[in-house]
Amino acid sequence: MNGKMKILTSMAIFGTVGIFVRFIPMASAGIAFCRGVLGCIFLLALMALTGKKPNLEDMKRNGWVLAISGAAIGINWILLFESYRYTTVAIATICYYLAPAFVTLASPLVGEKLTVKKLVCIGVALVGMVFVSGVLQGNQESSFLGVVLGVGAAVFYASVILLNKKLSPIGAYDKTLCQLGAASVVVAPYILLTGGIYFGDMAPVSWIMLAVLGVVHTGFAYALYFGAIRDVNAQTAAILSYLDPVLSILLSALILRERLDIFSLIGAMLILGSALYSELPTGKK
Protein backbone atom coordinates (compact mmCIF):
# COMPACT_ATOMS: atom_id res chain seq x y z
CA MET A 1 0.00 0.00 0.00
CA ASN A 2 1.55 3.32 -1.08
CA GLY A 3 1.50 6.55 0.91
CA LYS A 4 -1.60 8.01 -0.74
CA MET A 5 -3.62 4.83 -0.18
CA LYS A 6 -2.55 4.75 3.46
CA ILE A 7 -3.75 8.32 3.97
CA LEU A 8 -7.04 7.62 2.18
CA THR A 9 -7.55 4.50 4.31
CA SER A 10 -6.87 6.37 7.55
CA MET A 11 -9.21 9.20 6.49
CA ALA A 12 -11.93 6.66 5.67
CA ILE A 13 -11.52 5.26 9.19
CA PHE A 14 -11.58 8.72 10.80
CA GLY A 15 -14.74 9.50 8.84
CA THR A 16 -16.67 6.84 10.79
CA VAL A 17 -15.70 8.04 14.30
CA GLY A 18 -18.97 9.90 14.83
CA ILE A 19 -21.05 6.83 13.95
CA PHE A 20 -19.22 4.70 16.52
CA VAL A 21 -19.39 7.33 19.27
CA ARG A 22 -23.17 7.57 18.82
CA PHE A 23 -23.52 3.89 19.81
CA ILE A 24 -21.34 4.05 22.94
CA PRO A 25 -23.47 5.00 26.01
CA MET A 26 -20.68 6.65 27.97
CA ALA A 27 -19.77 10.22 28.90
CA SER A 28 -17.55 11.91 26.32
CA ALA A 29 -14.61 12.15 28.74
CA GLY A 30 -14.81 8.40 29.41
CA ILE A 31 -14.79 7.61 25.69
CA ALA A 32 -11.82 9.96 25.16
CA PHE A 33 -9.88 8.33 28.01
CA CYS A 34 -10.53 4.78 26.79
CA ARG A 35 -9.65 5.81 23.24
CA GLY A 36 -6.29 7.18 24.34
CA VAL A 37 -5.41 4.20 26.53
CA LEU A 38 -6.42 1.61 23.94
CA GLY A 39 -4.55 3.53 21.25
CA CYS A 40 -1.38 3.55 23.38
CA ILE A 41 -1.65 -0.18 24.07
CA PHE A 42 -2.06 -0.91 20.37
CA LEU A 43 0.93 1.24 19.39
CA LEU A 44 3.15 -0.38 22.05
CA ALA A 45 2.13 -3.82 20.81
CA LEU A 46 2.75 -2.80 17.19
CA MET A 47 6.20 -1.42 18.04
CA ALA A 48 7.06 -4.61 19.92
CA LEU A 49 5.96 -6.79 16.98
CA THR A 50 7.98 -4.74 14.49
CA GLY A 51 11.03 -4.60 16.74
CA LYS A 52 10.91 -0.84 17.24
CA LYS A 53 11.77 0.73 20.57
CA PRO A 54 10.59 4.13 21.82
CA ASN A 55 13.32 6.74 21.39
CA LEU A 56 13.43 8.20 24.87
CA GLU A 57 15.91 10.89 23.86
CA ASP A 58 13.59 12.26 21.16
CA MET A 59 10.66 12.10 23.55
CA LYS A 60 12.57 13.98 26.25
CA ARG A 61 13.74 16.66 23.81
CA ASN A 62 10.15 17.31 22.69
CA GLY A 63 8.64 16.72 26.12
CA TRP A 64 6.76 19.97 26.72
CA VAL A 65 5.39 20.25 23.18
CA LEU A 66 4.20 16.63 23.25
CA ALA A 67 2.58 17.14 26.65
CA ILE A 68 0.71 20.31 25.66
CA SER A 69 -0.36 18.98 22.26
CA GLY A 70 -1.48 15.71 23.86
CA ALA A 71 -3.55 17.65 26.39
CA ALA A 72 -5.11 19.59 23.49
CA ILE A 73 -5.98 16.30 21.76
CA GLY A 74 -7.77 15.07 24.88
CA ILE A 75 -9.82 18.26 25.24
CA ASN A 76 -10.48 18.23 21.50
CA TRP A 77 -11.94 14.70 21.71
CA ILE A 78 -14.20 15.57 24.64
CA LEU A 79 -15.60 18.65 22.87
CA LEU A 80 -16.11 16.81 19.58
CA PHE A 81 -17.85 13.83 21.22
CA GLU A 82 -20.08 16.20 23.20
CA SER A 83 -20.89 18.04 19.97
CA TYR A 84 -22.14 14.75 18.48
CA ARG A 85 -24.65 14.50 21.32
CA TYR A 86 -26.14 17.98 20.89
CA THR A 87 -26.24 18.23 17.12
CA THR A 88 -25.92 15.92 14.13
CA VAL A 89 -22.68 14.14 13.29
CA ALA A 90 -22.69 16.01 9.96
CA ILE A 91 -22.96 19.48 11.54
CA ALA A 92 -20.37 18.65 14.22
CA THR A 93 -17.96 17.45 11.53
CA ILE A 94 -18.47 20.56 9.40
CA CYS A 95 -17.77 22.78 12.44
CA TYR A 96 -14.69 20.69 13.22
CA TYR A 97 -13.30 21.45 9.77
CA LEU A 98 -13.04 25.12 10.63
CA ALA A 99 -9.68 24.05 12.06
CA PRO A 100 -7.78 24.93 8.83
CA ALA A 101 -9.16 28.48 9.02
CA PHE A 102 -7.99 28.81 12.62
CA VAL A 103 -4.57 27.42 11.70
CA THR A 104 -4.30 30.00 8.91
CA LEU A 105 -5.29 32.84 11.25
CA ALA A 106 -2.60 31.81 13.72
CA SER A 107 0.04 31.01 11.07
CA PRO A 108 2.02 34.25 11.72
CA LEU A 109 2.81 32.81 15.16
CA VAL A 110 4.88 30.07 13.48
CA GLY A 111 6.51 32.39 10.96
CA GLU A 112 4.12 31.92 8.02
CA LYS A 113 2.58 34.77 6.03
CA LEU A 114 -1.10 35.48 5.60
CA THR A 115 -1.82 35.87 1.89
CA VAL A 116 -4.85 37.55 0.32
CA LYS A 117 -6.02 34.15 -0.91
CA LYS A 118 -5.93 32.70 2.60
CA LEU A 119 -7.71 35.70 4.10
CA VAL A 120 -10.49 35.36 1.53
CA CYS A 121 -10.79 31.65 2.33
CA ILE A 122 -11.07 32.44 6.05
CA GLY A 123 -13.81 34.96 5.33
CA VAL A 124 -15.74 32.46 3.21
CA ALA A 125 -15.39 29.79 5.92
CA LEU A 126 -16.73 32.17 8.57
CA VAL A 127 -19.73 32.99 6.37
CA GLY A 128 -20.28 29.25 6.04
CA MET A 129 -20.19 29.01 9.83
CA VAL A 130 -23.12 31.45 10.03
CA PHE A 131 -25.16 29.20 7.74
CA VAL A 132 -24.25 26.04 9.69
CA SER A 133 -24.79 27.58 13.14
CA GLY A 134 -28.56 27.54 12.80
CA VAL A 135 -28.93 31.27 13.46
CA LEU A 136 -30.66 31.80 10.12
CA GLN A 137 -32.99 28.85 10.72
CA GLY A 138 -33.81 29.70 14.34
CA ASN A 139 -32.53 26.35 15.59
CA GLN A 140 -32.99 25.13 19.16
CA GLU A 141 -30.53 26.16 21.84
CA SER A 142 -29.28 22.57 22.27
CA SER A 143 -28.36 22.35 18.58
CA PHE A 144 -26.52 25.68 18.78
CA LEU A 145 -24.58 24.34 21.78
CA GLY A 146 -23.48 21.42 19.61
CA VAL A 147 -22.17 23.90 17.03
CA VAL A 148 -20.26 25.81 19.72
CA LEU A 149 -18.71 22.58 21.02
CA GLY A 150 -17.73 21.58 17.47
CA VAL A 151 -16.04 24.95 16.91
CA GLY A 152 -14.27 24.56 20.27
CA ALA A 153 -12.98 21.16 19.15
CA ALA A 154 -11.71 22.80 15.95
CA VAL A 155 -9.80 25.41 17.97
CA PHE A 156 -7.99 22.72 19.98
CA TYR A 157 -7.33 20.63 16.87
CA ALA A 158 -5.81 23.71 15.22
CA SER A 159 -3.57 24.19 18.26
CA VAL A 160 -2.36 20.59 17.90
CA ILE A 161 -1.42 21.25 14.26
CA LEU A 162 0.47 24.42 15.20
CA LEU A 163 2.24 22.77 18.15
CA ASN A 164 3.36 19.88 15.93
CA LYS A 165 5.22 22.44 13.81
CA LYS A 166 7.32 23.18 16.89
CA LEU A 167 8.48 19.57 17.28
CA SER A 168 12.10 18.63 16.73
CA PRO A 169 12.65 15.50 14.58
CA ILE A 170 10.86 12.55 16.20
CA GLY A 171 9.48 9.25 14.95
CA ALA A 172 5.80 9.10 14.02
CA TYR A 173 5.05 6.27 16.47
CA ASP A 174 6.97 7.96 19.30
CA LYS A 175 5.09 11.21 18.74
CA THR A 176 1.68 9.53 18.58
CA LEU A 177 2.38 7.36 21.61
CA CYS A 178 3.32 10.38 23.74
CA GLN A 179 0.40 12.48 22.57
CA LEU A 180 -2.18 9.75 23.15
CA GLY A 181 -0.68 9.06 26.56
CA ALA A 182 -0.76 12.76 27.47
CA ALA A 183 -4.36 12.99 26.29
CA SER A 184 -5.35 10.14 28.61
CA VAL A 185 -3.47 11.64 31.56
CA VAL A 186 -5.16 15.02 31.12
CA VAL A 187 -8.63 13.54 30.75
CA ALA A 188 -8.27 11.23 33.80
CA PRO A 189 -8.56 13.95 36.53
CA TYR A 190 -11.61 15.42 34.80
CA ILE A 191 -13.24 11.99 34.85
CA LEU A 192 -12.51 11.56 38.57
CA LEU A 193 -13.95 15.00 39.37
CA THR A 194 -17.13 14.28 37.42
CA GLY A 195 -17.92 10.89 38.96
CA GLY A 196 -15.67 8.43 37.16
CA ILE A 197 -16.44 6.14 34.22
CA TYR A 198 -19.79 4.35 34.24
CA PHE A 199 -20.03 1.10 32.29
CA GLY A 200 -23.47 0.07 33.50
CA ASP A 201 -25.30 0.77 30.23
CA MET A 202 -22.73 -0.92 28.01
CA ALA A 203 -24.22 -3.70 25.87
CA PRO A 204 -21.93 -6.23 24.09
CA VAL A 205 -22.15 -4.23 20.86
CA SER A 206 -21.12 -1.08 22.76
CA TRP A 207 -18.01 -2.82 24.08
CA ILE A 208 -17.12 -3.85 20.54
CA MET A 209 -17.66 -0.28 19.32
CA LEU A 210 -15.40 1.08 22.09
CA ALA A 211 -12.67 -1.46 21.33
CA VAL A 212 -12.79 -0.65 17.61
CA LEU A 213 -12.71 3.09 18.36
CA GLY A 214 -9.59 2.69 20.51
CA VAL A 215 -7.70 0.14 18.43
CA VAL A 216 -8.75 0.83 14.83
CA HIS A 217 -9.79 4.50 14.84
CA THR A 218 -6.97 5.59 17.13
CA GLY A 219 -3.97 3.23 17.29
CA PHE A 220 -4.15 1.74 13.79
CA ALA A 221 -5.42 4.84 11.91
CA TYR A 222 -2.91 7.19 13.56
CA ALA A 223 -0.05 4.76 12.92
CA LEU A 224 -1.15 4.38 9.29
CA TYR A 225 -1.49 8.15 8.78
CA PHE A 226 1.77 9.20 10.42
CA GLY A 227 3.60 6.31 8.76
CA ALA A 228 2.45 7.59 5.35
CA ILE A 229 2.83 11.32 5.89
CA ARG A 230 6.58 11.11 5.33
CA ASP A 231 6.09 9.66 1.83
CA VAL A 232 3.49 12.20 0.63
CA ASN A 233 3.97 15.95 0.35
CA ALA A 234 2.05 18.07 2.84
CA GLN A 235 -0.25 19.63 0.25
CA THR A 236 -1.36 16.26 -1.14
CA ALA A 237 -1.93 14.93 2.37
CA ALA A 238 -4.05 17.97 3.24
CA ILE A 239 -6.23 17.57 0.14
CA LEU A 240 -6.68 13.82 0.67
CA SER A 241 -7.77 14.50 4.26
CA TYR A 242 -11.06 15.91 2.98
CA LEU A 243 -12.29 12.36 2.48
CA ASP A 244 -12.90 12.38 6.25
CA PRO A 245 -15.67 15.05 6.43
CA VAL A 246 -17.26 14.01 3.13
CA LEU A 247 -17.54 10.38 4.26
CA SER A 248 -18.73 11.41 7.72
CA ILE A 249 -21.54 13.53 6.25
CA LEU A 250 -22.59 10.77 3.83
CA LEU A 251 -22.61 8.06 6.52
CA SER A 252 -24.56 10.22 8.96
CA ALA A 253 -27.24 10.57 6.28
CA LEU A 254 -27.26 6.86 5.30
CA ILE A 255 -26.90 5.24 8.74
CA LEU A 256 -28.19 7.80 11.24
CA ARG A 257 -30.78 9.27 8.84
CA GLU A 258 -29.48 12.78 9.50
CA ARG A 259 -30.27 15.34 6.85
CA LEU A 260 -28.71 18.72 6.06
CA ASP A 261 -31.16 21.53 5.33
CA ILE A 262 -30.38 23.95 2.52
CA PHE A 263 -28.66 26.46 4.84
CA SER A 264 -26.42 23.80 6.39
CA LEU A 265 -25.63 22.40 2.94
CA ILE A 266 -24.56 25.84 1.72
CA GLY A 267 -22.49 26.31 4.88
CA ALA A 268 -20.82 22.92 4.41
CA MET A 269 -19.85 23.77 0.84
CA LEU A 270 -18.47 27.16 1.91
CA ILE A 271 -16.42 25.78 4.83
CA LEU A 272 -15.06 22.64 3.16
CA GLY A 273 -14.67 24.32 -0.22
CA SER A 274 -12.73 27.28 1.15
CA ALA A 275 -10.49 25.02 3.24
CA LEU A 276 -9.78 22.78 0.25
CA TYR A 277 -9.17 25.75 -2.09
CA SER A 278 -6.67 27.24 0.35
CA GLU A 279 -4.59 24.04 0.05
CA LEU A 280 -4.46 24.16 -3.76
CA PRO A 281 -1.29 25.56 -5.36
CA THR A 282 -1.32 29.00 -6.92
CA GLY A 283 0.75 30.21 -9.87
CA LYS A 284 3.09 28.10 -12.00
CA LYS A 285 5.70 25.72 -10.74
Side-chain angles (χ1 to χ4, degrees):
M1 188 184 295
N2 61 31
K4 290 182 180 179
M5 283 305 300
K6 287 180 179 178
I7 290 177
L8 286 172
T9 302
S10 62
M11 288 302 117
I13 294 171
F14 289 142
T16 63
V17 166
I19 306 296
F20 278 74
V21 170
R22 274 292 180 89
F23 291 98
I24 301 174
M26 286 176 59
S28 298
I31 298 174
F33 176 77
C34 292
R35 184 182 185 185
V37 170
L38 290 171
C40 284
I41 292 172
F42 175 83
L43 281 175
L44 287 170
L46 183 63
M47 292 174 76
L49 288 172
T50 55
K52 294 181 179 180
K53 294 182 179 180
N55 190 319
L56 300 180
E57 191 63 35
D58 286 350
M59 291 179 178
K60 183 178 179 181
R61 186 173 61 251
N62 291 285
W64 73 271
V65 181
L66 291 171
I68 296 173
S69 60
I73 287 173
I75 298 170
N76 154 51
W77 285 348
I78 293 174
L79 293 175
L80 181 61
F81 296 164
E82 279 295 294
S83 180
Y84 291 149
R85 302 195 189 283
Y86 286 97
T87 188
T88 65
V89 169
I91 294 296
T93 302
I94 294 166
C95 295
Y96 192 53
Y97 267 78
L98 276 172
F102 295 144
V103 170
T104 302
L105 275 174
S107 59
L109 297 177
V110 291
E112 297 178 5
K113 292 183 178 180
L114 274 176
T115 63
V116 173
K117 174 185 173 181
K118 289 185 176 181
L119 286 171
V120 170
C121 288
I122 291 170
V124 172
L126 293 177
V127 171
M129 187 69 256
V130 174
F131 279 88
V132 171
S133 68
V135 172
L136 300 177
Q137 306 95 301
N139 279 5
Q140 296 179 353
E141 185 177 340
S142 61
S143 179
F144 183 74
L145 177 58
V147 169
V148 173
L149 290 166
V151 173
V155 170
F156 279 94
Y157 181 56
S159 70
V160 173
I161 296 172
L162 291 169
L163 284 166
N164 278 342
K165 293 178 182 289
K166 296 289 187 181
L167 287 171
S168 302
I170 182 173
Y173 290 177
D174 291 335
K175 176 176 73 172
T176 308
L177 183 64
C178 288
Q179 289 178 327
L180 294 182
S184 301
V185 169
V186 167
V187 172
Y190 176 78
I191 292 173
L192 293 174
L193 291 172
T194 54
I197 301 178
Y198 179 68
F199 295 105
D201 297 328
M202 294 284 283
V205 67
S206 300
W207 284 107
I208 294 172
M209 292 282 191
L210 183 61
V212 172
L213 184 68
V215 174
V216 179
H217 291 81
T218 308
F220 175 72
Y222 273 82
L224 197 64
Y225 178 78
F226 286 120
I229 204 71
R230 293 167 297 183
D231 303 323
V232 178
N233 67 60
Q235 197 169 72
T236 299
I239 292 171
L240 293 177
S241 71
Y242 285 89
L243 175 64
D244 175 358
V246 171
L247 185 61
S248 182
I249 292 169
L250 288 175
L251 289 178
S252 69
L254 293 173
I255 297 176
L256 301 177
R257 302 297 179 185
E258 297 177 350
R259 294 289 186 268
L260 291 175
D261 58 33
I262 186 63
F263 290 100
S264 298
L265 189 58
I266 292 171
M269 289 190 291
L270 290 174
I271 291 171
L272 299 181
S274 64
L276 178 59
Y277 179 70
S278 70
E279 302 290 349
L280 297 175
T282 54
K284 296 180 180 179
K285 290 186 178 181

